Amino acid sequence: MNTRDPFNLRPGSTAFNLLQHSAARAATYTRQAGQQALEAGKQALEDTGIADGMSFAVPRNVPTFNDPNGVRRLEDSVWGSSGQSRFGGNVGEAISGVFGEKGLPMYKDKPYNYGTSMRKPKWFRRKRAPGTVFFLIIAYFYWFGWPWSGGDANKKGNGGGRSWGFFSAVEEKVDWDERQESVKDAFKLSWKAYEDHGWGYDEYHPSSKSGRHMATGGLGWIIVDALDTMMLMNLTRELGHARQWISTSLTYDKDQDVNTFETTIRMLGGLLSAHYLQGILPGMKPAEDSTDEDLYLEKASDLADRLLSAYESNSGVPFASVNLKTMKGIPSHADGGASSTAEATSLQLEMKYLAYLTGEATYWEKAEKVMKVVDDNGARDGLLPIFIYADQGTFRSNEIRLGSRGDSYYEYLIKQYYQTAKQEPIYLEMWEEALAGVRKHLITYSQPSNFTILAERPSGLSGHISPKMDHLVCFMPGTIALGATGGLTVEEAKKLPSWGTKQEEEMELATELMKTCWGMYKVTATGLAPEIAHFNIYDPPQMMRHGILKGPETLDPADDADWKQDYILKPADTHNLQRPETVESLFYMWRITGDEKYRNWGWEMFQSFVKHTLLEDGAGFSSIGDVTQIPPPSRDNMESFWLAETLKYFYLLFGPNDVLPLTEVVLNTEAHPLPVFQPDKKRFKTGWTRIPRDPNGNLHPPEKTAEEPKKEVTKTVRVESAVASESAI
């Protein structure tokens, strides 16, 4: 394989030039380091007296780099992080940056119908003395990251693409700044392609270089969703272009039906996150004389007012869709008119933060009421069916899963608790109840390798278990870890008096589930996960309540490895939509445990995305049709969450830990960071209580007195101006 063009891109193409830029920045340093290594190695051999008789010569195919024209210029403003420039620092390793429909865009919650062998070669044992010297020489080269040709990028978690498998035990010096820059390059390439071929469109089709509006003039589906990613990457030119479009072209006064949930998490969440970040990141606010400093908040408030009409159902549970112009809620056209439970219960982070910013209680009250209606149904062990009727507020069917249509309900329980500075313990109680229910009813194990499976109950908790995991379920390892530590590192959390066996077990569950999700990537030819995986399980099923099992410590990459028998990939499920859930959990697991393997897994994943989803002509990255084929067929669609979530989580995973600390922000289910705030500063508090449960978890309403007077509920009034100061957070 050509190490200077690992994806066989044509020299001179946009993709080739941009993705090679990282290698050019490190080339001079590497060439000098390599020469020093050669001289040092030669001297070492002469000192031992065996230079003339050694059995293995220093490789002759050391790559030669041309001197670069210069290093990458810093962005328009300097960002401080960990006491140093975020994009500065010396290069410790030479890497090339990367090795190796119609209708609405895909809804986030709906699927669309480790190590190398350590065995030493025999010659290593026979030639121990000269081999040791040779080892030291090559290890020096390996340390500085030379991209040896002929390697297999899938053999090393840190992704050097090197063929020296017997050196995999050597601790490699990794330049994570460079890897983070590679993610930034991928974003810039994606964005440039969108600007050139699909600007303003809500959908972008990179292969055909076309796009499509969801409504006349566009709804900002891709542009708004990517705002905070550009801010975090300090892409001021791209951000300026996006802001100009929002200021001059974006209006929500359109006769268009939109999905309530998707519009809330992507558009409302994106605008609110941009408003928050422009106040805390240097150089992000408009000039002082600008008239649109509050542009993002004004757009968010206008959009939220239109979305409020979705909540005007008899029960308060929002309708699945809403017309932005007529401001009328619309029941789902499918599923018997029922709304998705996840969609109805994953609106609270955005609405509550907007209420805090503006002082308008309506946003808080509408979103909060949904939680009461849902909880008043008294679902067993905190596990909810995946559909709920908006007009009645009751569940439809008994199907339970943490994949599509169920996922983010659970995610938002613990995140609501943290968002409001732990002032709403009701959501912590609901989270702990639900997690206990997951452990009791849904956690099972595969065979023969004992992977931990978060399965489904299609017929309810009393029905059979289905050993199926959507990729969407892979948000759960990170969320469990977040719930166990509150965003602190494990080392910090263990010092708290609240730490105990329960938290230890939760972290172990998160670790094992993370391994299962990682296996979904490693089991395929492309190194990318399918949309859905099924598993071979024990008969009868071995449940967690029967005893905890552990999966393999490492995943043998051999085609006939035993662990691969556990995974079943069905042809209808082998597409990959550039989803973020696994890298999302890797980000949380890295931040919380500090285990470097999660970063290394992420680097492997990123390489696979570049190798198999990047279009050769630089027109962007596309979702693919079959992760089991090489090359995989393109689906000709770049999902907005590729920019908003997947690349953002890669960027954060490879970056410093003091950016968006988990104790100070929550990330919504579209990866838009929102700040932790003190609701009592605006006189907000939880406005409902749970109906008591008996020891079996059944509702046990308190007895009512005969003449109990009705209590008048005093609604919170607007307490400050429409634009609240960020300093109050």
Side-chain angles (χ1 to χ4, degrees), residues 614-648:
L614 172 63
L615 301 181
E616 182 178 332
D617 60 0
F621 294 77
S622 175
S623 54
I624 58 176
D626 190 347
V627 295
T628 68
Q629 293 184 28
I630 296 179
S634 170
R635 293 173 66 94
D636 193 19
N637 193 53
M638 184 186 77
E639 300 287 351
S640 78
F641 49 70
W642 168 250
L643 303 174
E645 300 189 75
T646 307
L647 289 178
K648 181 187 296 169

Side-chain angles (χ1 to χ4, degrees), residues 167-273:
F167 291 128
S168 60
V170 178
E171 182 178 354
E172 185 175 354
K173 185 176 180 181
V174 174
D175 191 331
W176 290 105
D177 288 341
E178 281 293 312
R179 293 185 173 183
Q180 189 184 46
E181 284 293 309
S182 297
V183 178
K184 186 175 178 180
D185 285 344
F187 181 95
K188 290 172 69 175
L189 188 150
S190 301
W191 188 259
K192 179 65 164 57
Y194 172 68
E195 283 185 314
D196 289 348
H197 308 298
W199 182 247
Y201 285 121
D202 299 307
E203 294 181 16
Y204 175 51
H205 307 303
S207 296
S208 56
K209 298 182 177 62
S210 63
R212 191 180 75 88
H213 286 307
M214 290 170 56
T216 303
L219 295 174
W221 211 251
I222 291 176
I223 295 174
V224 172
D225 219 7
L227 285 172
D228 51 15
T229 307
M230 289 184 279
M231 289 181 169
L232 291 167
M233 293 181 177
N234 199 28
L235 297 176
T236 53
R237 184 202 68 78
E238 292 84 349
L239 180 64
H241 191 194
R243 184 183 180 92
Q244 180 186 40
W245 184 88
I246 292 170
S247 178
T248 60
S249 301
L250 179 60
T251 175
Y252 291 113
D253 187 26
K254 295 179 179 180
D255 187 12
Q256 177 66 45
D257 299 346
V258 297
N259 179 271
T260 305
F261 163 76
E262 296 292 342
T263 307
T264 298
I265 66 168
R266 302 197 201 203
M267 299 299 96
L268 184 60
L271 291 166
L272 291 174
S273 178

Side-chain angles (χ1 to χ4, degrees), residues 117-433:
S117 172
M118 294 302 299
R119 291 175 295 178
K120 297 180 177 65
K122 293 180 180 179
W123 59 264
F124 189 92
R125 294 192 292 269
R126 292 198 309 264
K127 304 281 187 177
R128 186 161 306 213
T132 299
V133 178
F134 180 64
F135 180 96
L136 293 175
I137 297 171
I138 303 303
Y140 187 92
F141 298 159
Y142 191 85
W143 181 272
F144 286 95
W146 284 14
W148 301 92
S149 62
D152 182 353
N154 290 328
K155 288 185 179 179
K156 282 290 293 177
N158 45 31
R162 302 169 178 86
S163 59
W164 306 92
F166 54 88
F167 291 128
S168 60
V170 178
E171 182 178 354
E172 185 175 354
K173 185 176 180 181
V174 174
D175 191 331
W176 290 105
D177 288 341
E178 281 293 312
R179 293 185 173 183
Q180 189 184 46
E181 284 293 309
S182 297
V183 178
K184 186 175 178 180
D185 285 344
F187 181 95
K188 290 172 69 175
L189 188 150
S190 301
W191 188 259
K192 179 65 164 57
Y194 172 68
E195 283 185 314
D196 289 348
H197 308 298
W199 182 247
Y201 285 121
D202 299 307
E203 294 181 16
Y204 175 51
H205 307 303
S207 296
S208 56
K209 298 182 177 62
S210 63
R212 191 180 75 88
H213 286 307
M214 290 170 56
T216 303
L219 295 174
W221 211 251
I222 291 176
I223 295 174
V224 172
D225 219 7
L227 285 172
D228 51 15
T229 307
M230 289 184 279
M231 289 181 169
L232 291 167
M233 293 181 177
N234 199 28
L235 297 176
T236 53
R237 184 202 68 78
E238 292 84 349
L239 180 64
H241 191 194
R243 184 183 180 92
Q244 180 186 40
W245 184 88
I246 292 170
S247 178
T248 60
S249 301
L250 179 60
T251 175
Y252 291 113
D253 187 26
K254 295 179 179 180
D255 187 12
Q256 177 66 45
D257 299 346
V258 297
N259 179 271
T260 305
F261 163 76
E262 296 292 342
T263 307
T264 298
I265 66 168
R266 302 197 201 203
M267 299 299 96
L268 184 60
L271 291 166
L272 291 174
S273 178
H275 174 75
Y276 164 60
L277 290 181
Q278 77 170 5
I280 66 169
L281 297 180
M284 291 297 119
K285 272 195 172 183
E288 292 185 3
D289 59 350
S290 174
T291 60
D292 63 352
E293 179 178 342
D294 301 313
L295 171 66
Y296 301 135
L297 182 55
E298 290 170 356
K299 293 290 185 184
S301 298
D302 175 57
L303 177 58
D305 289 343
R306 299 173 188 277
L307 293 171
L308 281 177
S309 55
Y311 297 80
E312 299 301 325
S313 67
N314 292 333
S315 71
V317 172
F319 291 110
S321 299
V322 61
N323 185 286
L324 293 176
K325 188 174 185 66
T326 65
M327 290 188 271
K328 180 179 179 181
I330 304 167
S332 173
H333 298 301
D335 306 316
S339 297
S340 159
T341 301
E343 293 182 352
T345 56
S346 303
L347 313 167
Q348 288 66 33
L349 297 180
E350 299 81 5
M351 286 294 193
K352 284 184 172 182
Y353 181 47
L354 182 59
Y356 181 84
L357 288 175
T358 64
E360 293 285 358
T362 300
Y363 303 130
W364 181 288
E365 292 165 352
K366 293 288 188 183
E368 180 184 66
K369 184 179 180 181
V370 181
M371 303 305 298
K372 172 176 172 54
V373 173
V374 167
D375 194 59
D376 283 355
N377 276 272
R380 182 181 167 192
D381 291 336
L383 301 179
L384 275 56
I386 60 173
F387 294 109
I388 187 168
Y389 290 110
D391 57 346
Q392 303 171 33
T394 56
F395 293 123
R396 172 181 182 265
S397 79
N398 298 315
E399 185 171 1
I400 291 172
R401 63 172 178 245
L402 270 73
S404 62
R405 299 183 172 94
D407 50 0
S408 48
Y409 162 74
Y410 304 92
E411 175 188 358
Y412 270 37
L413 288 179
I414 191 62
K415 288 184 176 180
Q416 284 186 80
Y417 173 63
Y418 290 138
Q419 181 191 37
T420 52
K422 303 180 182 180
Q423 291 186 19
E424 298 186 280
I426 191 171
Y427 298 114
L428 175 61
E429 178 185 337
M430 294 170 68
W431 161 255
E432 291 182 337
E433 181 181 292

Side-chain angles (χ1 to χ4, degrees), residues 701-719:
E703 295 182 4
K704 296 182 180 179
T705 59
E707 297 294 331
E708 183 178 1
K710 293 183 178 180
K711 294 181 180 180
E712 182 178 349
V713 179
T714 303
K715 291 189 175 182
T716 308
V717 297
R718 180 173 179 146
V719 295

Side-chain angles (χ1 to χ4, degrees), residues 652-724:
L652 293 172
L653 175 63
F654 302 153
N657 287 355
D658 56 356
V659 176
L660 300 184
L662 297 179
T663 55
E664 297 178 19
V665 302
V666 292
L667 289 102
N668 83 343
T669 197
E670 189 73 7
H672 294 309
L674 304 172
V676 172
F677 61 84
Q678 301 282 343
D680 57 358
K681 289 186 177 181
K682 299 292 183 70
R683 304 180 186 176
F684 290 126
K685 62 181 180 180
T686 307
W688 66 286
T689 57
R690 301 188 75 189
I691 298 175
R693 270 76 171 165
D694 65 20
N696 296 321
N698 300 312
L699 292 181
H700 187 66
E703 295 182 4
K704 296 182 180 179
T705 59
E707 297 294 331
E708 183 178 1
K710 293 183 178 180
K711 294 181 180 180
E712 182 178 349
V713 179
T714 303
K715 291 189 175 182
T716 308
V717 297
R718 180 173 179 146
V719 295
E720 291 195 13
S721 62
V723 181

Side-chain angles (χ1 to χ4, degrees), residues 538-688:
Y538 292 94
D539 185 15
Q542 173 71 29
M543 304 300 293
M544 188 177 194
R545 63 179 182 269
H546 301 147
I548 297 175
L549 303 179
K550 285 191 176 183
E553 288 301 317
T554 59
L555 303 184
D556 184 351
D559 291 340
D560 59 351
D562 288 344
W563 68 267
K564 294 185 177 181
Q565 300 175 39
D566 295 46
Y567 289 79
I568 302 171
L569 305 187
K570 299 183 178 182
D573 304 329
T574 57
H575 50 285
N576 181 286
L577 302 178
Q578 308 169 298
R579 288 200 185 274
E581 288 77 22
T582 297
V583 67
E584 172 185 352
S585 280
L586 290 176
F587 162 69
Y588 281 104
M589 294 298 286
W590 156 248
R591 284 281 184 97
I592 290 169
T593 70
D595 192 332
E596 193 87 358
K597 73 182 179 185
Y598 297 121
R599 281 181 135 183
N600 291 331
W601 290 359
W603 179 241
E604 274 199 66
M605 285 174 56
F606 177 70
Q607 293 175 89
S608 295
F609 273 116
V610 174
K611 184 173 183 179
H612 297 294
T613 73
L614 172 63
L615 301 181
E616 182 178 332
D617 60 0
F621 294 77
S622 175
S623 54
I624 58 176
D626 190 347
V627 295
T628 68
Q629 293 184 28
I630 296 179
S634 170
R635 293 173 66 94
D636 193 19
N637 193 53
M638 184 186 77
E639 300 287 351
S640 78
F641 49 70
W642 168 250
L643 303 174
E645 300 189 75
T646 307
L647 289 178
K648 181 187 296 169
Y649 279 124
F650 277 127
Y651 190 77
L652 293 172
L653 175 63
F654 302 153
N657 287 355
D658 56 356
V659 176
L660 300 184
L662 297 179
T663 55
E664 297 178 19
V665 302
V666 292
L667 289 102
N668 83 343
T669 197
E670 189 73 7
H672 294 309
L674 304 172
V676 172
F677 61 84
Q678 301 282 343
D680 57 358
K681 289 186 177 181
K682 299 292 183 70
R683 304 180 186 176
F684 290 126
K685 62 181 180 180
T686 307
W688 66 286

